[in-house]
Structures are given as C-alpha cells and as structure tokens.
C-alpha cells in the first residue's frame, strides 16, 4: 500500500513529529531541576508511568510528583512546580519550532486530501494551544 491508499494518517506528535531534543528547546531538563540523573528520570518516564501513559492521571503536578517521589521522596514541592513550568515551556517551544521539512510534508499530505491526526499521550497542555 502507498500513501494514496489511505484517507487518514495518524502520527506520534512528540518524538516523531518534533521533540525538545531535535528543536534544542531552551531551558533546564526535568531531571536536572529535580536533581536526578537523566537515566533515572527517563526510566520513570518510560517504564514506571503507566497511569500517565494510559491517561488515568492527567494532572501534571500529580504525575511529576509521583514519578519524582518514586526516585526520591525528598524532592521539594518547589522543584516539582519548577520542573512542570520548564516542561511546558520546552514542549511548547518544540511545537512552535517544528522543522520546515516536516511542515512541508504535512502540507503535501493535506493537499492530497489526507486527514492528519497527531497522537499524544503528554500530560502537558502545550500542544492544545499550538495546534489550534
């Protein structure tokens, strides 16, 4: 099958269409703000965050607090809130600075009459504002 055979195309929004890494989003990484290694934090994000990934928990504060306290219960409320604010800004930046070639490709698909569906499991609301 080719693109012409599909009416709609779904794609992962973050880490496929864009990412804070590919756009070099400014700001401190969540792991740094919380005082963890990036390895420990990424382990929480990928392996130990089922409720977040399934959409059962949507409140950014509760999500970050639960994951941070799973690594160290001593993480302060101030650090958690700073991490959330930084994450929102960095993800928003990633959405506002998508590579031009990706935007062009999406434009071509739309010109072909394809319905486009970005999919995201992020608990952050930055994507709602930017995609409107």
């Amino acid at each position: 099958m080719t693109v012409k055979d599909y009416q709609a195309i779904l794609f992962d929004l973050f880490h496929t269409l864009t990412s804070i890494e590919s756009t070099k989003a400014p700001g401190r990484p969540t792991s740094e703000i919380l005082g963890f290694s990036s390895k420990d934090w990424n382990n929480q994000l990928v392996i130990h965050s089922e409720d977040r990934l399934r959409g059962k928990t949507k409140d950014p504060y509760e999500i970050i607090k639960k994951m941070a306290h799973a690594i160290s219960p001593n993480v302060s409320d101030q650090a958690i809130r700073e991490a959330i604010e930084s994450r929102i800004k960095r993800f928003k930046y990633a959405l506002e600075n998508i590579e031009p070639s990706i935007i062009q490709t999406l434009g071509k698909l739309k010109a072909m009459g394809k319905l486009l569906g970005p999919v995201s499991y992020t608990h952050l609301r930055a994507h709602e504002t930017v995609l409107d």
Side-chain angles (χ1 to χ4, degrees):
M1 296 184 92
T2 66
V3 170
K4 293 177 182 180
D5 297 318
Y6 296 96
Q7 294 178 343
I9 300 171
L10 302 177
F11 52 89
D12 182 36
L13 185 57
F14 290 106
H15 305 292
T16 299
L17 178 68
T18 190
S19 71
I20 57 176
E21 296 82 11
S22 68
T23 61
K24 296 178 178 52
R28 293 171 59 206
T30 303
S31 59
E32 182 182 308
I33 294 168
L34 297 173
F36 305 136
S37 70
S38 58
K39 180 181 177 184
D40 286 344
W41 182 248
N42 288 337
N43 186 47
Q44 279 297 315
L45 285 173
V46 175
I47 298 172
H48 301 290
S49 59
E50 184 174 339
D51 288 349
R52 174 183 69 92
L53 295 172
R54 293 184 182 271
K56 292 179 181 178
T57 306
K58 296 180 182 180
D59 176 48
Y61 178 81
E62 290 303 318
I63 290 167
I64 300 298
K65 178 182 174 184
K66 181 178 179 181
M67 290 192 299
H69 285 175
I71 299 170
S72 171
N74 298 324
V75 176
S76 72
D77 183 66
Q78 179 182 348
I80 292 168
R81 293 191 186 285
E82 183 182 340
I84 293 166
E85 185 177 320
S86 177
R87 286 175 67 81
I88 290 170
K89 287 178 182 175
R90 295 178 84 211
F91 275 83
K92 186 172 190 258
Y93 181 91
L95 285 169
E96 293 173 339
N97 292 279
I98 297 171
E99 292 180 34
S101 62
I102 293 173
I103 299 296
Q104 291 170 355
T105 299
L106 294 174
K108 289 176 184 176
L109 290 168
K110 199 166 184 178
M112 293 171 65
K114 305 301 177 191
L115 299 173
L116 304 177
V119 177
S120 175
Y121 64 83
T122 183
H123 59 278
L124 303 173
R125 300 288 182 228
H127 67 285
E128 292 175 354
T129 303
V130 176
L131 293 177
D132 283 344

